[in-house]
Amino acid sequence: MQCFAKSDRGAVRKENQDRAAGARIRRKGCVVGVVCDGMGGANGGNVASAIAIKVIADRIVDTYRDGMTETSLRHMLEAAVSAANIEIFDAAADNLDLLGMGTTVVAVIAGGNKAYIAHVGDSRAYMAGTGGFDQITLDHSVVQAMVEKGQLTQSEARNHPRKHFLTRALGVEEDVECDFTAVDFSGDDLLLLCTDGLTNMVETDDIYAVIRASSPEDVPDALIAAANMAGGSDNITAVGFTCA
């Protein structure tokens, strides 16, 4: 397993509140990856995403054991996300300057021809293979809820004025529910974790075209360049995983 990551503040923002982490765990070739997009002002967004990255990555690395079942891996991911949520919530309660801060998260454990993914918010996971490009996660957002109810098309959702309004984020409330997905992951597949600074600027078909035209180690740089060429209105983070 290999992991390639890049984060950029974009062409407009003065700072980068995105955070990303990746690490190899144990000796079986498994990797863990976490991507977060902070929110809540200049200080709050940075603090929330930094807390989430550290707590989740540390919890996974510390508790992972070879041979864990899918159920155990799910419980481990959910516990790590919950721990990060509590720590962010408590930090905001202790400091009025941080009140209202929060962060998205998409976290993965990949190995053994499978990827196990937990997410909260609108940072996404995609699987790119020779057969196409599939979005694994569904955004926790007002606009996505409207799409699911048939009130908007995906095309209309892309430019909707409420597309940034989240229905779930870490640290906003004392408890949070994360979604979990397990997918096959092998061969020439590339698993992509990214923030909305990429997906709001580059069309899905174009993201896939960039991935297919790039070597795995160059994918994050190429995707960030494409987002910046399109305007780079937000921070941009892309993390790619391969089975090689």
Side-chain angles (χ1 to χ4, degrees):
M1 296 293 299
Q2 295 187 81
C3 173
F4 307 99
K6 181 72 178 290
S7 189
D8 188 84
R9 67 182 175 88
V12 176
R13 299 291 177 90
K14 293 182 179 181
E15 61 180 356
N16 190 353
Q17 295 187 349
D18 286 1
R19 294 290 184 274
R24 188 175 298 276
I25 43 179
R26 300 289 168 181
R27 58 187 181 277
K28 297 292 188 179
C30 292
V31 295
V32 55
V34 188
V35 167
C36 293
D37 180 358
M39 60 187 192
N43 294 324
N46 286 329
V47 172
S49 58
I51 290 173
I53 284 287
K54 178 170 176 51
V55 171
I56 293 171
D58 286 354
R59 282 289 187 109
I60 293 172
V61 171
D62 288 346
T63 58
Y64 177 84
R65 298 292 181 269
D66 294 337
M68 292 178 74
T69 65
E70 180 175 318
T71 299
S72 295
L73 289 166
R74 176 174 187 162
H75 290 162
M76 181 177 64
L77 281 166
E78 290 174 342
V81 170
S82 179
N85 181 74
I86 292 169
E87 189 155 334
I88 297 166
F89 183 84
D90 287 348
D94 291 338
N95 187 340
L96 290 179
D97 291 337
L98 301 178
L99 193 63
M101 72 174 176
T103 185
T104 69
V105 64
V106 55
V108 62
I109 301 169
N113 297 325
K114 297 285 286 189
Y116 306 93
I117 301 158
H119 88 286
V120 178
D122 62 357
S123 293
R124 295 178 180 176
Y126 291 89
M127 188 68 77
T130 55
F133 190 49
D134 297 317
Q135 182 177 336
I136 299 168
T137 57
L138 283 179
D139 296 349
H140 298 135
S141 68
V142 170
V143 165
Q144 179 61 38
M146 294 172 72
V147 169
E148 292 172 8
K149 293 176 182 177
Q151 298 170 341
L152 288 176
T153 65
Q154 288 287 0
S155 178
E156 291 169 336
R158 181 172 178 81
N159 297 308
H160 195 278
R162 300 181 71 192
K163 68 181 180 180
H164 298 299
F165 289 26
L166 300 182
T167 55
R168 294 187 218 170
L170 293 191
V172 177
E173 297 181 357
E174 196 167 4
D175 296 302
V176 71
E177 178 184 359
C178 72
D179 286 353
F180 173 85
T181 309
V183 294
D184 293 332
F185 179 33
S186 60
D188 295 327
D189 293 340
L190 183 139
L191 174 64
L192 173 69
L193 307 185
C194 61
T195 57
D196 65 351
L198 173 65
T199 54
N200 284 338
M201 301 306 301
V202 185
E203 295 286 352
T204 302
D205 289 347
D206 294 331
I207 294 174
Y208 183 51
V210 169
I211 291 171
R212 298 303 294 172
S214 306
S215 59
E217 62 268 26
D218 292 333
V219 164
D221 283 297
L223 290 175
I224 286 171
N228 278 324
M229 284 287 290
S233 64
D234 198 356
N235 305 150
I236 314 151
T237 298
V239 181
F241 302 86
T242 67
C243 291

